[in-house]
Amino acid sequence: MKLLFLGLGLLKAIAAEYTQVHIALAGDDGRGNSNGMAVSWQTEEDTQATVVKYGLSSDDMPMVETGTSSTYYSTWDHHTVLADLAPDTKYFYAVGDGETFSETFQFTTSPEGGESVTFAVWGDLGLVNGDSTREYLEENKEDIDLIFHLGDVGYADDSFLHLGCLFRFCYEEKFNEYMESMEPIVSEIPYHVMPGNHEADCHDPACLLSAERRDKLSNFTAYNSRFRMPSEESGGVMNMWHSFNYGPVHFVALDLETGFPGAAEEKRYVLKCGGFGDQLTWLREDLEEAVKHREERPWIVLGGHHPMYNGGMVDPKMAAAIEPLLAEFGVDVFFTGHVHSYERDWPVFNSTTVVKSYSNPGIPTHVMIGGPGNDEMRDAQRRMEELLEEHPGLDPSRVSTQAWYDSLVEVNSDMIAVTDFTHFGIGIVHADMESFKMQYVQTTSGEVFDEFTLTK
Ligand SMILES: *[C@@H]1O[C@H](CO)[C@@H](O)[C@H](O)[C@H]1NC(C)=O
Ligand SMILES: *[C@@H]1O[C@H](CO)[C@@H](O)[C@H](O)[C@H]1NC(C)=O
């Protein structure tokens, strides 16, 4: 029995040598389009080299690129940037150490100009309760070009809530498991992330009692080490903030945790964090550049973790820091998460609904998509379902909660167009030069629960 176990363990170790493969857009063709791809993965030990072999067919991968490896705690993160790729082209690739390689994966590079694109958008996806969303994405991955994940990437810091992990150190293991669960999707679709509060630190008993873990796993360190966003290309900072262009869209990924005065974790979450630099000056410069290219890329989309508007309330510090820029540069959509539900607002500015239409509103539409499924969600949803049963007169697309799900209320803010508190869901956006259409899909059924189309 023991031998059998050993044998199985060994097999698993060999097969799983290169794990958590994921990609993100990289490079710049000189006209603002990404012309490269960052390929990232993990190994348990460092390897003799960090190598991606790639080519235009799965039987012929003659090109080779080397990258770098680093460790922040125990496992090794590998990042390699494949540069100067042809636009809108399918490539095949495998990752490895130059001698042995993983299975073969594939991706398609960025379109060259304003071709229409489809991207998926959500915040707050975890290992637990995330299966319906992962299954939906796997089934539909042919139709999704890019993923924009609005922070809270895996919920590793909730690992102590998992069976057997209350006092055992599980943070790294759960982060690995989340990334493994995403590999079939994000090894093929560029996965763009931004920080959420759950990326800030490891704070379970096994972490807080260890000076080494407190030191190595605070200040967004695991998150910044595991990904390679195009911040070098866009003048951003680590994986905290960056921007990129894709088809007719300029995407900006923001740090709404530490990146403005009065941000929720500006100086500390459980442990000290923050101090990544002057995001607001960068944002102004980035938007100044983006509006120069509006003819080529009509849509400017911002994403961040914490909502500016939610339930008819405003985050006054965030609004003071960021809202004037949204108006000045005509940002089209502001996507956020953090609250584990869906809320689409009407175009709102200065806490006032400006117009109840998406036809060239001139000010941003705020959409919160924080309920794709995570460790903290299912119990809250069950409570909402019970409340809806107790109040059969309420319209489920027009409800909100009060005092942590103790009571249910009809939304009475005229800022809010539609809500969904009881399903797991994500946004699927189809953008072309004329229109920006978002569908909110409930991933358990695949049904479109809500949609809106922005036009210029
Ligand atoms: C967090 O990391 C950034 C970037 O390395 C650094 O500038 C900042 O001082 C760190 N903050 C803390 C509290 O250690
Ligand atoms: C925002 O609204 C407040 C009160 O409703 C008003 O005093 C202020 O001038 C408005 N600010 C802008 C920039 O419109």
Side-chain angles (χ1 to χ4, degrees), residues 294 298-299 330-332 347 354-355 357-365 434-435 453-456:
R294 208 114 203 200
W299 308 106
V331 168
D332 295 287
V354 175
V355 54
S357 151
Y358 298 108
S359 153
N360 205 15
I363 49 156
T365 298
E434 278 82 42
S435 66
T453 302
L454 266 173
T455 54
K456 294 255 172 195

Tab-separated table of all heavy atoms in Angstrom, residues 294 298-299 330-332 347 354-355 357-365 434-435 453-456:
chain	number	residue	atom	x	y	z
A	294	ARG	N	-8.725	58.020	-30.023
A	294	ARG	CA	-10.131	57.654	-29.913
A	294	ARG	C	-10.745	57.218	-31.259
A	294	ARG	O	-11.676	56.416	-31.277
A	294	ARG	CB	-10.913	58.834	-29.342
A	294	ARG	CG	-12.137	58.409	-28.586
A	294	ARG	CD	-12.037	58.720	-27.141
A	294	ARG	NE	-12.902	57.873	-26.359
A	294	ARG	CZ	-13.299	58.178	-25.139
A	294	ARG	NH1	-12.887	59.293	-24.579
A	294	ARG	NH2	-14.055	57.357	-24.464
A	298	PRO	N	-12.402	53.608	-29.892
A	298	PRO	CA	-13.413	54.495	-29.313
A	298	PRO	C	-13.722	54.249	-27.833
A	298	PRO	O	-14.196	55.148	-27.154
A	298	PRO	CB	-14.651	54.240	-30.179
A	298	PRO	CG	-14.394	52.968	-30.909
A	298	PRO	CD	-12.917	52.809	-31.020
A	299	TRP	N	-13.449	53.039	-27.324
A	299	TRP	CA	-13.915	52.712	-25.966
A	299	TRP	C	-12.783	52.756	-24.952
A	299	TRP	O	-11.730	52.154	-25.154
A	299	TRP	CB	-14.551	51.313	-25.945
A	299	TRP	CG	-15.588	51.178	-27.010
A	299	TRP	CD1	-15.489	50.490	-28.178
A	299	TRP	CD2	-16.876	51.809	-27.030
A	299	TRP	NE1	-16.632	50.636	-28.930
A	299	TRP	CE2	-17.500	51.442	-28.235
A	299	TRP	CE3	-17.570	52.637	-26.134
A	299	TRP	CZ2	-18.786	51.871	-28.586
A	299	TRP	CZ3	-18.840	53.072	-26.484
A	299	TRP	CH2	-19.428	52.688	-27.688
A	330	GLY	N	-13.867	61.287	-20.677
A	330	GLY	CA	-14.973	60.541	-21.274
A	330	GLY	C	-14.806	59.033	-21.180
A	330	GLY	O	-15.023	58.314	-22.151
A	331	VAL	N	-14.406	58.560	-20.002
A	331	VAL	CA	-14.309	57.105	-19.798
A	331	VAL	C	-15.701	56.496	-19.994
A	331	VAL	O	-16.702	57.046	-19.527
A	331	VAL	CB	-13.765	56.809	-18.373
A	331	VAL	CG1	-13.934	55.346	-18.021
A	331	VAL	CG2	-12.314	57.248	-18.283
A	332	ASP	N	-15.765	55.389	-20.712
A	332	ASP	CA	-17.063	54.826	-21.064
A	332	ASP	C	-17.642	53.930	-19.982
A	332	ASP	O	-18.822	54.025	-19.662
A	332	ASP	CB	-16.937	54.038	-22.373
A	332	ASP	CG	-16.592	54.965	-23.522
A	332	ASP	OD1	-17.482	55.712	-23.954
A	332	ASP	OD2	-15.416	54.980	-23.952
A	347	PRO	N	-25.841	55.928	-16.287
A	347	PRO	CA	-24.727	56.869	-16.271
A	347	PRO	C	-24.883	57.863	-15.106
A	347	PRO	O	-25.882	58.577	-15.011
A	347	PRO	CB	-24.828	57.553	-17.636
A	347	PRO	CG	-25.463	56.517	-18.519
A	347	PRO	CD	-26.469	55.842	-17.628
A	354	VAL	N	-27.433	61.022	-14.456
A	354	VAL	CA	-27.435	62.102	-15.441
A	354	VAL	C	-28.459	61.823	-16.532
A	354	VAL	O	-29.170	62.715	-16.976
A	354	VAL	CB	-26.024	62.274	-16.040
A	354	VAL	CG1	-26.018	63.305	-17.149
A	354	VAL	CG2	-25.047	62.668	-14.944
A	355	VAL	N	-28.519	60.559	-16.949
A	355	VAL	CA	-29.432	60.218	-18.031
A	355	VAL	C	-29.748	58.725	-17.916
A	355	VAL	O	-28.896	57.940	-17.509
A	355	VAL	CB	-28.795	60.582	-19.404
A	355	VAL	CG1	-27.434	59.942	-19.571
A	355	VAL	CG2	-29.680	60.185	-20.568
A	357	SER	N	-30.110	56.426	-20.179
A	357	SER	CA	-29.921	55.922	-21.540
A	357	SER	C	-28.440	55.680	-21.743
A	357	SER	O	-27.602	56.354	-21.143
A	357	SER	CB	-30.427	56.973	-22.527
A	357	SER	OG	-29.705	56.883	-23.735
A	358	TYR	N	-28.123	54.709	-22.610
A	358	TYR	CA	-26.721	54.405	-22.901
A	358	TYR	C	-26.327	54.871	-24.292
A	358	TYR	O	-25.332	54.431	-24.842
A	358	TYR	CB	-26.468	52.903	-22.738
A	358	TYR	CG	-26.707	52.429	-21.314
A	358	TYR	CD1	-27.800	51.653	-20.999
A	358	TYR	CD2	-25.837	52.799	-20.301
A	358	TYR	CE1	-28.027	51.236	-19.701
A	358	TYR	CE2	-26.054	52.395	-18.999
A	358	TYR	CZ	-27.154	51.608	-18.703
A	358	TYR	OH	-27.364	51.204	-17.415
A	359	SER	N	-27.124	55.747	-24.838
A	359	SER	CA	-26.807	56.256	-26.156
A	359	SER	C	-25.972	57.522	-25.999
A	359	SER	O	-26.485	58.571	-25.614
A	359	SER	CB	-28.131	56.494	-26.892
A	359	SER	OG	-27.973	57.491	-27.832
A	360	ASN	N	-24.684	57.350	-26.214
A	360	ASN	CA	-23.718	58.453	-26.122
A	360	ASN	C	-23.860	59.290	-24.841
A	360	ASN	O	-24.004	60.508	-24.911
A	360	ASN	CB	-23.885	59.352	-27.362
A	360	ASN	CG	-22.596	60.103	-27.642
A	360	ASN	OD1	-21.534	59.761	-27.113
A	360	ASN	ND2	-22.683	61.145	-28.445
A	361	PRO	N	-23.814	58.648	-23.666
A	361	PRO	CA	-24.088	59.402	-22.438
A	361	PRO	C	-23.001	60.417	-22.070
A	361	PRO	O	-23.280	61.380	-21.363
A	361	PRO	CB	-24.191	58.314	-21.365
A	361	PRO	CG	-23.428	57.156	-21.905
A	361	PRO	CD	-23.555	57.224	-23.390
A	362	GLY	N	-21.756	60.188	-22.533
A	362	GLY	CA	-20.695	61.157	-22.245
A	362	GLY	C	-20.117	61.058	-20.846
A	362	GLY	O	-19.111	61.695	-20.544
A	363	ILE	N	-20.711	60.306	-19.973
A	363	ILE	CA	-20.139	60.034	-18.654
A	363	ILE	C	-20.228	58.530	-18.400
A	363	ILE	O	-21.008	57.838	-19.046
A	363	ILE	CB	-20.859	60.798	-17.529
A	363	ILE	CG1	-22.350	60.592	-17.676
A	363	ILE	CG2	-20.489	62.262	-17.507
A	363	ILE	CD1	-23.018	60.797	-16.379
A	364	PRO	N	-19.415	58.015	-17.468
A	364	PRO	CA	-19.274	56.563	-17.407
A	364	PRO	C	-20.483	55.817	-16.846
A	364	PRO	O	-21.234	56.344	-16.021
A	364	PRO	CB	-18.066	56.366	-16.494
A	364	PRO	CG	-17.943	57.610	-15.723
A	364	PRO	CD	-18.504	58.706	-16.558
A	365	THR	N	-20.587	54.596	-17.308
A	365	THR	CA	-21.543	53.648	-16.753
A	365	THR	C	-20.783	52.779	-15.757
A	365	THR	O	-19.751	52.200	-16.099
A	365	THR	CB	-22.113	52.779	-17.887
A	365	THR	OG1	-22.790	53.639	-18.801
A	365	THR	CG2	-23.055	51.725	-17.352
A	434	GLU	N	-18.591	50.671	-33.291
A	434	GLU	CA	-19.825	51.440	-33.090
A	434	GLU	C	-20.510	51.175	-31.761
A	434	GLU	O	-21.192	52.042	-31.232
A	434	GLU	CB	-20.850	51.135	-34.202
A	434	GLU	CG	-20.636	51.910	-35.475
A	434	GLU	CD	-19.572	51.262	-36.351
A	434	GLU	OE1	-19.601	50.014	-36.459
A	434	GLU	OE2	-18.699	51.977	-36.876
A	435	SER	N	-20.366	49.943	-31.259
A	435	SER	CA	-21.153	49.620	-30.071
A	435	SER	C	-20.363	48.778	-29.077
A	435	SER	O	-19.381	48.114	-29.426
A	435	SER	CB	-22.440	48.889	-30.474
A	435	SER	OG	-22.111	47.638	-31.015
A	453	THR	N	-26.393	48.064	-24.209
A	453	THR	CA	-25.494	48.404	-25.313
A	453	THR	C	-25.214	49.901	-25.276
A	453	THR	O	-26.118	50.718	-25.293
A	453	THR	CB	-26.136	48.040	-26.668
A	453	THR	OG1	-26.433	46.645	-26.638
A	453	THR	CG2	-25.176	48.320	-27.811
A	454	LEU	N	-23.929	50.197	-25.182
A	454	LEU	CA	-23.494	51.589	-25.238
A	454	LEU	C	-23.201	51.925	-26.691
A	454	LEU	O	-22.576	51.142	-27.404
A	454	LEU	CB	-22.168	51.724	-24.509
A	454	LEU	CG	-22.116	52.125	-23.048
A	454	LEU	CD1	-20.671	52.003	-22.578
A	454	LEU	CD2	-22.607	53.538	-22.829
A	455	THR	N	-23.655	53.095	-27.110
A	455	THR	CA	-23.296	53.548	-28.458
A	455	THR	C	-22.773	54.973	-28.360
A	455	THR	O	-23.017	55.679	-27.391
A	455	THR	CB	-24.516	53.536	-29.394
A	455	THR	OG1	-25.555	54.312	-28.777
A	455	THR	CG2	-25.013	52.128	-29.641
A	456	LYS	N	-22.054	55.368	-29.383
A	456	LYS	CA	-21.494	56.739	-29.401
A	456	LYS	C	-22.392	57.624	-30.234
A	456	LYS	O	-22.836	57.212	-31.298
A	456	LYS	CB	-20.108	56.717	-30.026
A	456	LYS	CG	-19.133	55.954	-29.205
A	456	LYS	CD	-18.207	56.897	-28.476
A	456	LYS	CE	-17.369	56.105	-27.500
A	456	LYS	NZ	-16.691	56.871	-26.518
